[in-house]
Amino acid sequence: MSTHAPYLPAASPALSVEDQEALTDLYVRGTPANTLRAYERDLLYVTAWKTARFDLALRWPESEATALAFILDHARDLSDAPSDDHSRQVAEVLIAQGLRKSLACPAPSTLDRRIASWLAFHRMKNLESPFGSPQVNQARSKARRAAARPPTPKSAHPITRDILELLLATCRGSRRDCRDRAILILGWASGGRRRSEITGLMFEDVSLKEFGEKSLVWISLLETKTTAKGKTPPLVLKGRAALALVHWIEVGQIKNGPLFRPVSKADRVLKRRLSPDGIYQIVKHRLRLAGLPEDFASPHGLRSGFLTQAALDGAPIQTAMRLSLHRSMAQAQKYYDDVDVAENPATDLLG
């Protein structure tokens, strides 16, 4: 990783070489890996965009005119634009480079994220950002409103308890089956874990001290999308969920290192960590075996399904959030709002 990257602190003449290296190391260790990867992708994109748009490299600080052009180029659908439209030509260059998917107007969240990264690059260099000027800021607000669209769910359907049972029923007796059962049931019962959270688990993150006496397994996540390192509360698995995880640990002979690993065609457990895409393939495979379309749900369906089931069962949203680790009540409330009003337990208060 280059120490000259804009998402790392700029060199300061007031610091010694050792202190500058320590500051850079602090930024790397203190920034989530997913954020660093997003910074790298966004830096690649805005650099390529400016080269194609102006045939110039990025400037620090960047000009307001460039910031405004960036917003304008990403605030409209370019599919109907004439072939000689400069913004369309730039977009076609980015598509050819694999940096842009289509000429359609990007989602407001995508534009917001790239601008947020560009702002962060300026902060790292102790520079004022052009995106803070009144005109640019207003244009950004108008672009967000003009391109507003209904939110699309990350999973076509939530994996509620009945769907989860169908998936678990396809897990028979092989090592792969034991692993998939443990992944599905942990991903659901621990509060709806994200793919990266499941694959990031280590054997050392699991405590079996209370399994023999209480059938409890405690899990410590290093960090999540909404919690910082060392600030994530321990999560618990009970009963069937705890048993499924312990069974996988025994069958897979997991004694250290990654908790979930690939299993070969010969049903041999490998040493390396299972990738997040592996979770996607597992969900798709189990849906197919259960007689459901492969696109019926994605891994995020475990998360949405947990909260949806909590709403169906009448669990208070605060208790569900203690496991899902949602930071925003409004975000978690969306899953509760999606439950059919006829299924809401509050409709039965009169009896």
Side-chain angles (χ1 to χ4, degrees), residues 49-50 54 59 61-72 118 122 128-139:
W49 171 83
K50 188 173 182 187
F54 298 106
R59 284 176 48 192
E62 193 52 85
S63 68
E64 289 185 19
T66 299
L68 193 58
F70 185 77
I71 292 172
L72 294 176
W118 214 340
H122 280 78
E128 289 291 329
S129 162
F131 291 101
S133 73
Q135 186 180 43
V136 174
N137 204 25
Q138 187 175 44

Side-chain angles (χ1 to χ4, degrees), residues 129-310:
S129 162
F131 291 101
S133 73
Q135 186 180 43
V136 174
N137 204 25
Q138 187 175 44
R140 182 182 177 188
S141 176
K142 298 294 185 184
R144 190 183 298 114
R145 179 171 298 182
R149 60 187 73 174
T152 55
K154 295 179 182 179
S155 179
H157 298 90
I159 299 177
T160 48
R161 186 166 49 231
D162 55 342
I163 302 299
L164 179 66
E165 294 290 5
L166 292 176
L167 303 187
L168 295 176
T170 69
C171 302
R172 309 294 185 181
S174 68
R175 289 187 179 91
R176 184 187 299 272
D177 287 336
C178 293
R179 180 203 62 185
D180 290 1
R181 182 188 298 112
I183 285 174
L184 291 170
I185 207 165
L186 178 147
W188 196 92
S190 65
R193 303 272 59 87
R194 302 176 181 88
R195 288 187 295 171
S196 59
E197 294 167 6
I198 297 172
T199 57
L201 282 170
M202 305 289 284
F203 173 78
E204 292 77 12
D205 298 328
V206 177
S207 173
L208 305 177
K209 292 180 180 179
E210 296 187 63
F211 178 70
E213 182 180 349
K214 300 181 180 179
S215 295
L216 297 181
V217 172
W218 291 91
I219 299 172
S220 299
L221 293 172
L222 180 61
E223 63 180 325
T224 70
K225 187 177 179 181
T226 55
T227 59
K229 288 183 179 179
K231 300 295 184 181
T232 306
L235 301 171
V236 66
L237 293 179
K238 305 167 69 174
R240 289 174 61 197
L243 185 61
L245 182 59
V246 171
H247 187 52
W248 159 245
I249 291 173
E250 292 174 350
V251 168
Q253 298 183 345
I254 311 298
K255 299 178 181 178
N256 53 58
L259 184 61
F260 294 114
R261 310 171 183 201
V263 177
S264 71
K265 291 182 178 179
D267 210 32
R268 184 170 60 87
V269 179
L270 307 182
K271 293 184 178 181
R272 69 175 184 271
R273 183 190 305 277
L274 185 68
S275 70
D277 182 64
I279 305 292
Y280 174 80
Q281 297 301 329
I282 288 169
V283 171
K284 186 167 71 170
H285 176 63
R286 294 299 164 182
L287 285 168
R288 184 172 65 250
L289 291 181
L292 294 167
E294 290 184 355
D295 61 354
F296 179 86
S298 72
H300 192 268
L302 295 170
R303 186 165 177 79
S304 61
F306 171 81
L307 284 161
T308 301
Q309 193 66 56

